[in-house]
Amino acid sequence: MSEIVTESYIGSAIVYIDGRDCGNVSGVKLAIEQETKSLPNYRGGGGYADEVTLIKSVKLSATFYDFNNENLALAMRGKIDVLTATPVADEEIIAVLDGLAQTAKMIDTSIAPVVKNEAGDVTYVLDEDYVVSAAGIRALSTGAITAGQTLTIGYTSQVGNALQALTESGKTVSVVVDGINDSTGKPWMLKFYKWKPTPTSGLDLIGTDYGSFDIEGAVLADSSIVATGKSKFFVRSAA
């Protein structure tokens, strides 16, 4: 009598895209769309003489919880520019009382800016005449700065990166899902050779819960795989 093997499944995994760890990812789903073509039986009795099911499309989707620019670039077909720390001297801005006067670059707020009047003979006091954020300064109505006044600001720009959204035509990447079956402790792996993500339908940027965003894309056939019996789309390995 043959043994019945039962293997329950609870999946967890690390998702790598082109070798990069994408952080906290859930809801990795595979959808295979099929198209059935049937040949009617014309010899009497009804039914079909033959039938074949073709693979119409293969799609991979996932929910991302890490809002880094690398993940967002996938979600929004973006390009990433590297930002370096650069001293900026005497940039002109127009004061908005209790509102934002935006600077050209992101401010490193750990280094106090220098804000002066247009003539340069008056230096305003941080947290008394204005407050600073990464986006610029807010002139305080209780301070010495007047509405619409031309100011100059010296600051150091923030190190980081900038996402230029919706500038790329679409990138094809490899995906490896390095998993563990939490029910059994056994490892498993899914390897997708070519995945072409489409732009996400939207992002929730402000809220009281942890944010997430979904990315879906087509799993393309890898024409370089020509061996008989080998999938052009993906392979699953398991212990």
Side-chain angles (χ1 to χ4, degrees):
M1 181 177 179
S2 62
E3 180 184 359
I4 298 175
V5 178
T6 300
E7 184 168 331
S8 302
Y9 175 76
I10 300 174
S12 62
I14 299 173
V15 176
Y16 297 93
I17 293 180
D18 281 348
R20 180 182 63 84
D21 185 344
C22 294
N24 200 17
V25 180
S26 75
V28 179
K29 296 179 181 178
L30 184 63
I32 301 174
E33 185 180 359
Q34 304 174 62
E35 181 180 10
T36 300
K37 294 183 179 294
S38 302
L39 175 63
N41 174 25
Y42 297 107
R43 295 175 62 86
Y48 296 117
D50 202 358
E51 187 174 82
V52 63
T53 299
L54 305 175
I55 302 301
K56 189 174 183 181
S57 68
V58 182
K59 291 190 176 181
L60 177 68
S61 62
T63 301
F64 292 72
Y65 292 89
D66 282 19
F67 277 66
N68 55 59
N69 273 348
E70 289 83 1
N71 286 346
L72 291 171
L74 281 174
M76 295 187 288
R77 285 189 175 173
K79 180 174 73 73
I80 297 176
D81 295 333
V82 175
L83 303 179
T84 58
T86 305
V88 178
D90 299 329
E91 180 182 318
E92 285 195 359
I93 54 176
I94 304 298
V96 180
L97 290 186
D98 299 322
L100 178 68
Q102 184 180 357
T103 50
K105 297 182 178 181
M106 191 174 178
I107 297 175
D108 182 349
T109 57
S110 67
I111 302 172
V114 177
V115 178
K116 297 183 178 182
N117 64 354
E118 188 174 15
D121 55 2
V122 176
T123 300
Y124 296 103
V125 180
L126 178 64
D127 295 331
E128 183 177 313
D129 296 315
Y130 68 93
V131 293
V132 63
S133 69
I137 70 163
R138 289 170 54 94
L140 301 174
S141 56
T142 54
I145 298 173
T146 58
Q149 180 181 349
T150 300
L151 306 171
T152 64
I153 178 172
Y155 62 95
T156 300
S157 63
Q158 177 68 54
V159 173
N161 52 66
L163 170 64
Q164 306 292 342
L166 301 175
T167 58
E168 302 296 296
S169 60
K171 184 179 180 182
T172 301
V173 296
S174 65
V175 180
V176 173
V177 185
D178 187 7
I180 289 287
N181 183 348
D182 286 335
S183 178
T184 64
K186 294 181 179 180
W188 58 271
M189 182 188 75
L190 273 167
K191 181 178 181 180
F192 297 89
Y193 304 114
K194 299 175 72 175
W195 184 50
K196 192 165 187 177
T198 57
T200 185
S201 59
L203 291 172
D204 293 330
L205 298 177
I206 298 176
T208 56
D209 293 325
Y210 289 110
S212 65
F213 55 94
D214 298 325
I215 305 179
E216 181 182 287
V219 179
L220 306 178
D222 187 346
S223 59
S224 68
I225 299 174
V226 295
T228 302
K230 300 296 183 182
S231 173
K232 295 179 180 292
F233 297 95
F234 66 92
V235 60
R236 183 182 189 270
S237 304

